[in-house]
Amino acid sequence: MKLIDKMINCTVNGMEITVEKGTSVLDAAAKAGVHIPTLCHLNLHDLNAVNQSANCRVCVVEDDNSGRLVPSCSQEVYDGMKIETDSMKAVMGRRTSLELLLSNHPQDCLTCVKNLDCELQSLAHEMNIKEIHYQGEKMQHPIDTTSQAIHKDPNKCIMCRRCITMCNDVQTVGVLSPLKRGFDVVVATAFHMDMGDTSCTYCGQCVSVCPTGALAEMDASSKVWKRLNNPKKHVIVQVAPAVRVALGEEFGYDPGEISTGKVVSALRRLGFDTVFDTNFGADLTIVEEAKELVDRIEKDGPLPMLTSCCPAWVQFIEQQFPELLDVPSTCKSPQSMVGSLAKTYYAEQNNIDPEDITMVSIMPCIAKKAEAAREELSVEGHYNVDYVLTTRELARMIKEAAIDFNTLRDGTFDQLLGESTGAAAIFGTTGGVIEAASRTAYEMVTGKELKQVDFKDLRGIDGIREATIEMNGTKLRIGIAHELGNARKLLEEIRDGKSHFDAIEIMACPGGCIGGGGQPYHHGDSNILKKRAESIYKIDLGTELRKSHENPMVKKVYKDFLGSPGSKRAKDLLHTTYSAKERI
Amino acid sequence: MRKEILDTSTLDSDGLKKIDAYIDNLSGNKEEQLIHVLHHAQQIFGYLPKNLQWYIAKQLDMPSAKVNGVVTFYSLFSEEPRGKYTVSVCMGTACFVKGAEKVLDRILELTDSQKGKMSDDGLFTVQDVRCIGACGLAPVVTINEKVYGNVKINEVDDIIRRYKRGEKHAS
């Protein structure tokens, strides 16, 4: 078909435009520069996450030919269509839809976790709702706080089904589903089970896209405040790579703006005794992981080796592919490595009883909360990490303490676990962990210096990518996946014996940790994620040392405490085990 | 709850084998035929307890939440045990006008049960249903597959008694 045959004409508020056949009214209006409010609609098309359930009816516009109201997100434009987005009928139609949703919504905005970040609230403001003309029955469902990670309040749900799209179509985990029908519909777990009992990976992508306060993280800030106010406790904090390129957004910075120094200062002002860098743990992870990879290549397997820093991904493989538990690296995640060393090496060096140490992590991730609660991630009865705060929770604590983030001076991380290389920085984005590992593995295998450290083939935003790296004649075949649905494809290949990779990196969230479930809300704008990723590579480029094994503090830890990579002590403190779990 | 859902030892193993065989014989995308599988399973077990739903989800390699979503969507499926006889009283407009409500009340009285709940003797589950499309026969009652049309209130006793007697003869 010629392009001309594919084009059709329509008008939006009297403006004539030409669009491709199959274009939605919403997209056609956007092309004409006309904004139509939406609620349930979500379009992260470059990340393969589109929710087009046409459930909320907030985006209705008038089709002037028929005089009917049509949902603009799902209605396709036809030739000669006359779209009116601001006719009285369209405006009143949208208001009615919204008021009906509000009539079955708790009115506790002031104390809601989503206050000022809620799409329902913004729409009520935008549409000038001053009174709700409808009164009727309200949903009465119990609130689920049974998982360490996700807080679920179905009474705030507006049935947009974005969470269901993320959980089922994008992540293929399938924990959330609509149950029952009509007014009784509730987005729930199978059999209304406690979240903590399900196969939830806690990736938090449902939280990332929830327009209201129906899904949120389990807030740990009050527990952390208590520890900060306890003079007997030595409270240590560590900050993940992806936090420093996102926290600024909560304080009016442009997406992706780097605020590492301010984050450190803010944490000191909050009262943390020591501020460590999870990036140090990332460097250490790479050294251990590269050693494991080289060993596995030399000893014929098992290959491929899969990275293990993403806790949602670890939960996923334990439940969905229990027969493949020998393929992930046994390395603990960077947060656990820092926690483990803080309560052993650092405690020993500074003569602090590990019992008195509280380890808090600032993470872009909700699943890290569940990871911290895994019993196998402890040393001598002490959990490696005691509390995990998401980027959003940290932002709320900074605001709560009335700290003026913008005027903070740049601080620097504390030693012994505060130094890091550029390789650690890129842990925060898809492809970063395997690129960092490749830099170190290359030098381990060849014994030669790696001059060109940028493995650009490993970068990008495609859901599944692959590349080959030459090392002394051996080819290292690398696979990368982000989002669990893509991970599933690679895992099925491994299960069926069709995989041709030596090493695979998997991150559960779109774009990697920069798109984590605990990050400032992107409200459906995938450009925000891209900007954060760019900044991550900028940090790498601007760091003098860019290979993990060159980190002087990592070298010092091995020399003073751990011995060599893969030593008995390293295995005890920095490695973990996995166990199969029945999928529900 | 997790433990009780994962425990399928309470389910009749022959019944499970029949479900396995049914699933094995399906052609094409098995996930898409979930409703058929559930229907078959309900015929075998009489209802769809949670552990059975989980078992079916596992056999079809799909999330239990999706299975539970389908089961709770259709009123045809029951998560509660059902009596040997499912008595459905049509509450469509025509049946309603012709006294279906009185028929329902009388049946509940005779079976000594509550709407939707199995009677203590395990014989009956009485429910009201939306229009079944047999308005010419109003008021209509169905008992399992059998349809009773133009049901008069004084006939109800007789019909129910017959089912009760049938049970006695059978034992």
Side-chain angles (χ1 to χ4, degrees):
Chain A
M1 209 180 348
K2 281 185 222 147
L3 187 65
I4 194 108
D5 297 329
K6 283 203 246 166
M7 304 307 281
I8 51 175
N9 300 311
C10 65
T11 66
V12 179
N13 299 345
M15 284 175 277
E16 279 177 24
I17 56 163
T18 306
V19 295
E20 217 173 295
K21 228 179 215 173
T23 304
S24 69
V25 170
L26 186 65
D27 290 340
K31 202 179 166 195
V34 173
H35 167 71
I36 300 173
T38 57
L39 183 53
C40 67
H41 186 63
L42 176 79
N43 190 355
L44 290 165
H45 60 91
D46 37 5
L47 296 163
N48 198 25
V50 179
N51 184 55
Q52 208 170 37
S53 58
N55 261 350
C56 72
R57 317 309 270 193
V58 163
C59 70
V60 289
V61 295
E62 188 174 354
D63 175 354
D64 208 27
N65 290 331
S66 65
R68 278 177 34 216
L69 291 175
V70 293
S72 60
C73 67
S74 61
Q75 172 75 50
E76 286 180 10
V77 174
Y78 60 85
D79 198 27
M81 190 174 188
K82 288 182 188 150
I83 302 158
E84 294 291 334
T85 71
D86 53 6
S87 68
M88 193 46 76
K89 190 167 185 174
V91 173
M92 294 318 284
R94 288 201 287 269
R95 281 186 62 113
T96 304
S97 301
L98 192 65
E99 277 188 44
L100 283 168
L101 286 171
L102 290 168
S103 74
N104 186 17
H105 194 84
Q107 311 286 320
D108 62 349
C109 298
L110 285 180
T111 51
C112 179
V113 66
K114 275 302 227 4
N115 191 20
L116 300 182
D117 227 339
C118 169
E119 294 176 36
L120 186 67
Q121 188 186 41
S122 318
L123 276 175
H125 173 71
E126 213 176 291
M127 291 197 199
N128 199 21
I129 306 279
K130 295 284 178 279
E131 189 186 344
I132 297 157
H133 294 88
Y134 308 98
Q135 276 191 343
E137 204 179 328
K138 287 200 173 191
M139 293 183 287
Q140 301 278 346
H141 297 291
I143 294 170
D144 190 333
T145 57
T146 57
S147 71
Q148 290 94 353
I150 291 177
H151 184 279
K152 182 171 174 294
D153 181 353
N155 303 312
K156 291 182 177 168
C157 175
I158 53 154
M159 313 294 163
C160 70
R161 305 203 176 201
R162 287 182 186 180
C163 58
I164 292 173
T165 297
M166 293 312 277
C167 191
N168 290 270
D169 303 343
V170 176
Q171 302 293 54
T172 67
V173 174
V175 161
L176 294 173
S177 175
L179 302 187
K180 301 198 173 174
R181 67 197 294 179
F183 183 80
D184 297 327
V185 169
V186 55
V187 173
T189 58
F191 323 114
H192 291 283
M193 288 174 85
D194 293 340
M195 282 293 276
D197 274 347
T198 65
S199 304
C200 182
T201 65
Y202 308 118
C203 72
Q205 283 307 310
C206 56
V207 176
S208 275
V209 300
C210 180
T212 69
L215 290 160
E217 63 281 333
M218 289 289 289
D219 195 311
S221 58
S222 59
K223 288 177 186 156
V224 171
W225 279 125
K226 251 183 220 157
R227 292 295 175 98
L228 287 172
N229 282 317
N230 183 344
K232 282 187 195 144
K233 293 286 177 192
H234 184 82
V235 190
I236 306 176
V237 67
Q238 56 169 314
V239 190
V243 174
R244 61 205 71 186
V245 296
L247 183 73
E249 290 166 33
E250 295 278 353
F251 300 95
Y253 285 37
D254 285 337
E257 217 168 309
I258 301 160
S259 58
T260 318
K262 289 189 194 300
V263 176
V264 174
S265 298
L267 290 167
R268 286 220 176 86
R269 293 279 293 275
L270 286 173
F272 288 101
D273 297 301
T274 304
V275 184
F276 283 155
D277 196 349
T278 310
N279 290 23
F280 169 85
D283 276 333
L284 195 58
T285 302
I286 285 305
V287 174
E288 285 295 316
E289 213 165 66
K291 165 85 174 115
E292 191 183 348
L293 178 62
V294 171
D295 281 354
R296 278 162 74 159
I297 291 171
E298 282 170 1
K299 288 176 194 149
D300 290 328
L303 289 173
M305 187 178 89
L306 278 68
T307 57
S308 57
C309 0
C310 168
W313 146 240
V314 167
Q315 289 267 14
F316 185 78
I317 194 169
E318 285 184 328
Q319 282 158 346
Q320 311 269 344
F321 293 88
E323 67 275 25
L324 295 181
L325 292 184
D326 60 336
V327 294
S329 156
T330 58
C331 286
K332 286 181 181 177
S333 68
Q335 86 151 350
S336 287
M337 287 201 183
V338 171
S340 188
L341 288 183
K343 292 188 181 185
T344 51
Y345 173 59
Y346 172 82
E348 202 179 282
Q349 298 277 315
N350 291 278
N351 224 352
I352 307 170
D353 182 354
E355 184 69 35
D356 292 332
I357 293 181
T358 296
M359 182 79 227
V360 178
S361 304
I362 314 295
M363 294 283 139
C365 178
I366 291 182
K368 287 283 173 194
K369 289 173 183 274
E371 181 191 89
R374 285 174 77 107
E375 262 171 45
E376 56 270 36
L377 298 180
S378 56
V379 176
E380 286 164 10
H382 302 117
Y383 282 101
N384 295 160
V385 174
D386 297 290
Y387 300 112
V388 174
L389 298 168
T390 59
T391 312
R392 291 191 298 266
E393 284 166 274
L394 174 62
R396 294 202 291 266
M397 285 179 79
I398 294 172
K399 288 173 189 169
E400 189 179 350
I403 295 170
D404 184 0
F405 190 76
N406 297 290
T407 57
L408 285 172
R409 293 204 185 144
D410 285 351
T412 50
F413 289 105
D414 290 313
Q415 297 309 349
L416 303 161
L417 315 174
E419 197 97 3
S420 68
T421 70
I426 57 176
F427 257 61
T429 183
T430 172
V433 173
I434 208 77
E435 180 170 346
S438 301
R439 292 178 190 173
T440 293
Y442 181 91
E443 295 200 354
M444 257 189 204
V445 170
T446 63
K448 286 188 256 174
E449 193 197 337
L450 176 67
K451 293 263 167 41
Q452 174 51 271
V453 298
D454 294 305
F455 292 100
K456 293 215 163 129
D457 289 353
L458 301 173
R459 302 179 185 178
I461 196 86
D462 288 344
I464 298 178
R465 308 191 294 283
E466 50 180 284
T468 305
I469 292 174
E470 283 263 351
M471 292 185 183
N472 255 11
T474 357
K475 280 185 176 148
L476 188 69
R477 292 155 303 176
I478 292 172
I480 297 163
H482 59 123
E483 294 178 357
L484 292 170
N486 294 323
R488 180 183 290 281
K489 290 177 196 156
L490 292 187
L491 283 171
E492 281 170 352
E493 283 178 8
I494 299 173
R495 187 191 58 197
D496 302 340
K498 290 180 190 155
S499 179
H500 55 281
F501 295 118
D502 300 310
I504 296 178
E505 176 208 282
I506 293 178
M507 294 189 188
C509 291
C513 312
I514 47 142
Q519 292 282 58
Y521 294 107
H522 53 65
H523 295 294
D525 182 357
S526 48
N527 283 326
I528 293 178
L529 305 187
K530 286 179 197 153
K531 295 232 172 78
R532 291 177 190 161
E534 282 165 18
S535 297
I536 289 257
Y537 288 113
K538 220 182 278 169
I539 295 177
D540 172 31
L541 207 58
T543 310
E544 196 188 334
L545 298 174
R546 298 180 64 196
K547 296 167 205 157
S548 294
H549 55 282
E550 291 177 350
N551 181 331
M553 295 315 280
V554 168
K555 285 184 190 166
K556 184 173 158 60
V557 171
Y558 277 112
K559 189 166 155 275
D560 292 356
F561 188 68
L562 292 169
S564 58
S567 69
K568 165 89 176 56
R569 197 169 213 179
K571 282 263 181 327
D572 287 347
L573 295 178
L574 308 180
H575 289 254
T576 184
T577 54
Y578 308 106
S579 49
K581 286 167 193 151
E582 198 71 67
R583 173 187 177 194
I584 287 195
Chain B
M1 195 200 269
R2 185 178 168 91
K3 220 171 146 193
E4 101 194 30
I5 288 164
L6 295 177
D7 179 12
T8 51
S9 68
T10 57
L11 299 168
D12 174 47
S13 58
D14 286 340
L16 294 182
K17 274 183 205 145
K18 280 185 204 160
I19 293 175
D20 290 348
Y22 185 82
I23 291 173
D24 282 344
N25 281 328
L26 293 174
S27 53
N29 185 336
K30 297 191 176 187
E31 212 181 303
E32 282 172 9
Q33 301 179 64
L34 171 65
I35 290 184
H36 298 294
V37 177
L38 290 173
H39 195 70
H40 191 69
Q42 183 156 292
Q43 270 174 356
I44 296 168
F45 286 89
Y47 72 114
L48 300 167
K50 295 183 176 78
N51 51 354
L52 180 58
Q53 291 180 46
W54 172 75
Y55 182 82
I56 291 170
K58 192 175 152 104
Q59 299 307 89
L60 291 174
D61 194 22
M62 63 193 290
S64 313
K66 208 172 236 178
V67 173
N68 193 223
V70 171
V71 169
T72 55
F73 183 86
Y74 292 105
S75 53
L76 172 80
F77 295 127
S78 172
E79 291 189 281
E80 299 291 321
R82 293 177 87 89
K84 188 174 173 193
Y85 304 111
T86 299
V87 184
S88 304
V89 181
C90 179
M91 283 289 164
T93 312
C95 292
F96 190 83
V97 170
K98 288 207 148 190
E101 202 169 20
K102 278 183 192 150
V103 172
L104 174 66
D105 287 346
R106 183 66 188 145
I107 295 176
L108 287 171
E109 201 179 309
L110 288 167
T111 54
D112 194 20
S113 69
Q114 287 170 308
K115 207 161 66 180
K117 293 249 160 33
M118 185 176 71
S119 61
D120 285 345
D121 58 10
L123 275 183
F124 298 100
T125 298
V126 184
Q127 61 186 17
D128 52 356
V129 292
R130 303 217 178 138
C131 181
I132 62 169
C135 309
L137 299 174
V140 181
V141 174
T142 63
I143 301 184
N144 290 355
E145 307 293 314
K146 191 163 168 51
V147 181
Y148 296 86
N150 301 312
V151 178
K152 298 191 178 61
I153 192 87
N154 54 11
E155 290 170 7
V156 173
D157 294 43
D158 211 37
I159 296 170
I160 296 299
R161 224 170 272 141
R162 251 184 281 153
Y163 280 90
K164 282 191 175 172
R165 269 208 305 273
E167 177 65 15
K168 268 178 202 158
H169 290 313
S171 63

